[in-house]
Each structure stands twice: as structure tokens, then as C-alpha cells.
């Protein structure tokens, strides 16, 4: 007989780790299988904006202590265009809700520590993962660990293995796939330099989008729009900083601090959704099921919304034999997925340039930006989506 657990989780990113933590608190066993090393997943630089709901969830599941201590709470952001900055007062417009800047890799570190401290099974460096019999009541996961072929039986498989994982492909022929690729990418840098701003700056410039974010009082995180065909080798540090200075230029004397780059990379931009997010006893969550353009800072937050619904559904099933939330899992996730997809597409379309500075699309962008910066109603639309809608 293969060893068994209640829930087999593929992937130790935010989705898989939070799901395991939520299930454990409900008395439901799980095993997490991760194909990279612990060091790799803890060093993987990703986004860093936590919605209010995400902060509340991480605190509720007992992994919020360092986030509260080291995270930076922001109550506003700046939209910058035509050499002028306009502050959007996020908290003022949303009854006090805010965002917290705390790197995704920090969230992952806190979750891994919690899972291991709880004695939960979390295997790194797992190879050759494959999922089987999820159309039956006895799904199985096969994998190799420490050179040994293994198989585990479970009641349910959670596909939390991201966009490049194996779980979605296992059912993709049964799914409707929505894939919209944008004609630009993001070049991101992590720089050892104090941030030049207290709040995030989203800039729409004739030469393209730029974003000034941060990680700590000593670390800045910045992005510029680039051609998706660019190779990072074509972007020496000097060229990156030169472009950053141009795109953030203003008439009010603001200046950008430069510093040594710790990391730089180019990430393509797409909107991607599969429907449904489940088949039989296999449930997809997070990037395995959807990808949003990073402009709205939604990827991590949306992943955690999925697993919160999945954990609630599994708890109802294990405790009362009630399958209604499991049967409705995909529909419940997709309501928020499509709301967040639209917001991320809207922010992306408003801020990224693909044509000439004076063409039709640019004029529409300016009109939208001017409206958001002059109308409380329009600014509230951005603010309530950005900090995270309480109900969708
Ligand atoms: N077997 C085991 N693990 C796998 C496999 C596999 N075949 N394929 C991928 N993985 C692991 C990856 O190494 C990664 O650690 O699954 C994990 C998936 O994590 P994420 O890609 O971070 O996805 P998710 O947990 O849904 O979180 C979404 O992460 O990528 C960012 O921008 C995204 O912020 C969003 C968040
Ligand atoms: C980040 O800090 O990495 C970040 C912030 C806002 C975004 C995307 C990324 O929209």
C-alpha cells in the first residue's frame, strides 16, 4: 500500500504553503511536494504588495509576526504623467484599508518555517512529479525524492505548482484557456539603495511605463516597460538607470537615487485564466490556474484567495461530508479572478505605451489618468481594487 495523506499539494509557493497551513489548522493532513530547493524558493525575488485581506489572513494563520515587524504599510500611491505626480489616497478612499510592502520571498520563508516547526511533511528537490487517478476517489501522486521513486495516495490533489507546473497540463484538454499576451515585458531590478520615495510611483512616460517600489529602507525595487524580445544582456546597469531617470522625470525637482544592482531580470506580461479550475479530485490554485499582469500587484493576493476558498471547502467536506463548496470552488474563485484580471488589465492599459506619444491610445490614457486624478469616484475605483475588494 502506498503511504497516504488527506491532501497532496504540488508546489511550495505561497498558494501551496498557505493551503497546507490552513488545512493543518483545521486538522487536515497534507504533504507539500516542491521541485526546487528550499534555498531557491526562499531567494526567488517576486512581487511585494500584500492586500489588506492577505495581511489579515497571514496574521490569522499565525505567520504575521515578522510581516508586522518588517512590512511597510502604505496608505497611498502616486500616478506620474506629463512630468507631474498625483497622489491617490488609498486608505482615505477605502475606509482605512491599506497595502503592506513585504517581499513574497519573505512570506514564503515565514510559511516554510511554520510548516517545518509544525512537523508537517514538506519535501524539496522533488523530481518527476506526476498526478494520477484524480477522476477516481483515490488520486495518487508519483515523484522521485533523494533518488527514490515514491507514490502517495490522497483524497484530493491541490495543483499549486504555478504557471509552469504539471497539474494544469494534466487536465488542460478539458479546460477553456484564455491567454492574452501583452506587446511588452517588465525589466525589474533590486537595488541596494534607499528608496527615492515613501510610496509607490507608477509612471506613464512617452518612452514607456516605470514603477518605483521598495523592499526596505535600504532596498529599492524598480521596473521599466521593455520589449518582450529584449535579452537582459542588452540592458547594462548604466542603461537601466539612464532610462529610469528619464521615465520618472518631473518638474518638481524630485530625483532618483542610484545604487548597485543585486538582481535584474525580464518578465513577460500576460493575462491567463483556465476554466474550470478543477476536475475530479484535482483542484488548481494560484498561478497554476491564472496569471495577471503585475501592474495591479495581484498575483500573490489572488493565489491566497483561491486557497482560502479551497481550505474552507475541504474543511466542510471532511467535517460534514458536505461537497457543495468543493463543487462550487471553481465558480467561486473565478468571480474574483475575472474582477482582478479586469483591474490588472485596466491598470496596465492606462500606464503602458505601445504607440507614438501623440496617438489615439496615448490620448485615451491621458484622459483616463486625468479623470482618476481629478474625480473621487474614479480614484475610489482604483483604490478599492488596489487594496483588495472585501467581497466579490
Ligand atoms: N513539481 C513540484 N513543484 C513544482 C513543479 C513540479 N512539477 N512545478 C513548479 N513547482 C513549484 C515551483 O518551484 C514553485 O515553488 O511550484 C511552486 C509554484 O509557486 P508560484 O509559481 O509562486 O505560484 P503560486 O504559489 O500560485 O503563487 C503565485 O507567485 O509567481 C508568483 O507572481 C506570482 O505572486 C504570484 C505568486
Ligand atoms: C513590487 O514591489 O515588486 C511591485 C509593486 C507593485 C506592482 C508590482 C510589483 O504593481
Amino acid at each position: 500500500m502506498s503511504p497516504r495523506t488527506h491532501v497532496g499539494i504540488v508546489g511550495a509557493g505561497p498558494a501551496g504553503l498557505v493551503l497546507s497551513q490552513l488545512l493543518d489548522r483545521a486538522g487536515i493532513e497534507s504533504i507539500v511536494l516542491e521541485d526546487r530547493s528550499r534555498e531557491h524558493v526562499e531567494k526567488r525575488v517576486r512581487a511585494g504588495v500584500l492586500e489588506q485581506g492577505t495581511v489579515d489572513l497571514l496574521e490569522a494563520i499565525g505567520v504575521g509576526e515578522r510581516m508586522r515587524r518588517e512590512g511597510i504599510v502604505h496608505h497611498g500611491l502616486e500616478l506620474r504623467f506629463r512630468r507631474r505626480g498625483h497622489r491617490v489616497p488609498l486608505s482615505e478612499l477605502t475606509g482605512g484599508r491599506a497595502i503592506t510592502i513585504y517581499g513574497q520571498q519573505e512570506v514564503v520563508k515565514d510559511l516554510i518555517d511554520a510548516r517545518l516547526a509544525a512537523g508537517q511533511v514538506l519535501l524539496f528537490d522533488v523530481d518527476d512529479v506526476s498526478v494520477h487517478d484524480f477522476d477516481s476517489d483515490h488520486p495518487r501522486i508519483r515523484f522521485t525524492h533523494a533518488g527514490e521513486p515514491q507514490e502517495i495516495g490522497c483524497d484530493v490533489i491541490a495543483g499549486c505548482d504555478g504557471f509552469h507546473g504539471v497539474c494544469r497540463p494534466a487536465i488542460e484538454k478539458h479546460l477553456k484557456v484564455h491567454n492574452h499576451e501583452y506587446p511588452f515585458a517588465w525589466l525589474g531590478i533590486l537595488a541596494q539603495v534607499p528608496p527615492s520615495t515613501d510610496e509607490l510611483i507608477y509612471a506613464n512616460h512617452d518612452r514607456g511605463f516605470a514603477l518605483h517600489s521598495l523592499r526596505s529602507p535600504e532596498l529599492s525595487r524598480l521596473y521599466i516597460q521593455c520589449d518582450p524580445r529584449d535579452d537582459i544582456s542588452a540592458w547594462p546597469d548604466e542603461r537601466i538607470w539612464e532610462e529610469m531617470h528619464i521615465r520618472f522625470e518631473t518638474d518638481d525637482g524630485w530625483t532618483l537615487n542610484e545604487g548597485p544592482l543585486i538582481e535584474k531580470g525580464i518578465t513577460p506580461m500576460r493575462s491567463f485564466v483556465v476554466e474550470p479550475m478543477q476536475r475530479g479530485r484535482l483542484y488548481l490554485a494560484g498561478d497554476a490556474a491564472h496569471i495577471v499582469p503585475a501592474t495591479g500587484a495581484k498575483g500573490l493576493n489572488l493565489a491566497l484567495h483561491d486557497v482560502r476558498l479551497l481550505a474552507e471547502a475541504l474543511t466542510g467536506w471532511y467535517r460534514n461530508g458536505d461537497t457543495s463548496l468543493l463543487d462550487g470552488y471553481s465558480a467561486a474563485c473565478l468571480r474574483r479572478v475575472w474582477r482582478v484580471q479586469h483591474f490588472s488589465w485596466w491598470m496596465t492599459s492606462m500606464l503602458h505605451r505601445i504607440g507614438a506619444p501623440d496617438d489615439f491610445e496615448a490620448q485615451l490614457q491621458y484622459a483616463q489618468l486625468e479623470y482618476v486624478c481629478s474625480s473621487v469616484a474614479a480614484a475610489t475605483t482604483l483604490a478599492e481594487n488596489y487594496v483588495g475588494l472585501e467581497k466579490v
Side-chain angles (χ1 to χ4, degrees):
M1 284 288 284
S2 310
R4 285 192 58 79
T5 188
H6 290 134
V7 181
I9 300 172
V10 184
L17 291 166
V18 167
L19 177 60
S20 177
Q21 183 82 354
L22 284 164
L23 293 174
D24 188 17
R25 294 170 72 89
I28 299 168
E29 291 173 7
S30 66
I31 180 173
V32 181
L33 304 174
E34 167 58 46
D35 68 347
R36 307 305 294 264
S37 69
R38 176 174 182 179
E39 183 189 18
H40 178 88
V41 300
E42 290 188 345
K43 286 188 172 174
R44 208 165 33 192
V45 178
R46 292 278 177 70
V49 172
L50 306 185
E51 290 177 356
Q52 185 71 54
T54 297
V55 168
D56 297 343
L57 172 65
L58 293 174
E59 283 211 309
I61 63 175
V63 292
E65 192 273 331
R66 190 163 72 99
M67 171 190 66
R68 271 291 178 230
R69 194 171 67 244
E70 297 179 11
I72 306 167
V73 180
H74 282 193
H75 298 287
L77 61 79
E78 177 184 321
L79 297 177
R80 187 174 289 186
F81 59 100
R82 287 175 163 160
R83 304 174 64 90
R84 287 177 56 225
H86 307 262
R87 184 172 187 265
V88 178
L90 299 172
S91 298
E92 186 183 312
L93 293 168
T94 59
R97 292 168 68 79
I99 58 163
T100 297
I101 302 293
Y102 188 64
Q104 178 171 308
Q105 70 271 27
E106 305 310 326
V107 174
V108 167
K109 282 179 200 166
D110 296 341
L111 285 159
I112 289 172
D113 288 344
R115 305 314 304 130
L116 296 177
Q120 288 291 311
V121 183
L122 166 50
L123 301 182
F124 294 99
D125 299 305
V126 167
D127 294 314
D128 311 320
V129 172
S130 57
V131 291
H132 305 272
D133 300 333
F134 43 81
D135 281 323
S136 78
D137 294 348
H138 307 286
R140 293 172 296 118
I141 304 176
R142 288 191 184 139
F143 58 97
T144 302
H145 189 243
E148 289 297 317
Q150 316 251 351
E151 177 176 291
I152 189 146
C154 42
D155 300 324
V156 161
I157 298 173
C160 302
D161 49 346
F163 186 68
H164 301 290
V166 297
C167 289
R168 185 187 68 250
I171 57 173
E172 201 140 34
K173 66 184 177 189
H174 302 290
L175 306 179
K176 177 166 181 54
V177 177
H178 304 268
N179 185 36
H180 173 76
E181 295 187 9
Y182 294 86
F184 38 75
W186 274 18
L187 187 158
I189 64 172
L190 188 64
Q192 188 72 48
V193 62
S196 305
T197 175
D198 293 334
E199 295 179 330
L200 272 62
I201 302 171
Y202 286 85
N204 172 314
H205 188 276
D206 288 348
R207 291 172 67 95
F209 168 80
L211 168 61
H212 192 318
S213 184
L214 51 127
R215 285 290 178 274
S216 74
E218 299 77 32
L219 274 179
S220 293
R221 179 71 162 151
L222 299 103
Y223 302 89
I224 51 173
Q225 171 188 341
C226 69
D227 189 310
R229 296 161 299 182
D230 280 0
D231 186 281
I232 196 65
S233 59
W235 285 90
D237 297 6
E238 300 69 29
R239 181 186 174 196
I240 295 173
W241 283 118
E242 181 187 0
E243 198 62 34
M244 292 277 182
H245 283 292
I246 294 169
R247 297 192 189 186
F248 285 113
E249 62 192 3
T250 66
D251 292 332
D252 66 5
W254 181 89
T255 56
L256 175 65
N257 303 325
E258 287 191 20
L261 299 196
I262 300 169
E263 199 223 56
K264 61 182 177 181
I266 293 177
T267 306
M269 195 156 268
R270 73 172 75 237
S271 294
F272 180 89
V273 181
V274 294
E275 297 182 289
M277 292 171 47
Q278 64 190 92
R279 183 171 176 83
R281 293 289 184 93
L282 175 59
Y283 297 84
L284 303 179
D287 275 18
H290 41 70
I291 295 285
V292 283
T295 323
K298 290 299 173 193
L300 166 63
N301 298 290
L302 195 55
L304 298 198
H305 183 264
D306 290 348
V307 294
R308 182 166 25 191
L309 293 183
L310 184 53
E312 185 185 355
L314 288 166
T315 302
W317 180 46
Y318 276 107
R319 286 187 179 159
N320 316 311
D322 176 3
T323 64
S324 60
L325 291 182
L326 274 180
D327 297 341
Y329 164 73
S330 177
C333 286
L334 287 167
R335 276 194 292 276
R336 191 174 192 91
V337 166
W338 283 114
R339 168 85 309 270
V340 166
Q341 285 285 355
H342 178 270
F343 173 69
S344 304
W345 164 83
W346 175 77
M347 280 276 281
T348 300
S349 306
M350 181 170 67
L351 291 161
H352 291 70
R353 283 301 180 79
I354 50 178
D358 59 352
D359 69 5
F360 178 73
E361 285 75 16
Q363 298 314 314
L364 289 180
Q365 287 179 348
Y366 285 132
Q368 181 68 55
L369 286 161
E370 293 288 358
Y371 180 48
V372 169
C373 296
S374 60
S375 156
V376 171
T380 302
T381 293
L382 186 154
E384 67 178 11
N385 282 277
Y386 196 87
V387 300
L389 292 165
E390 293 181 271
K391 280 288 179 197
V392 176

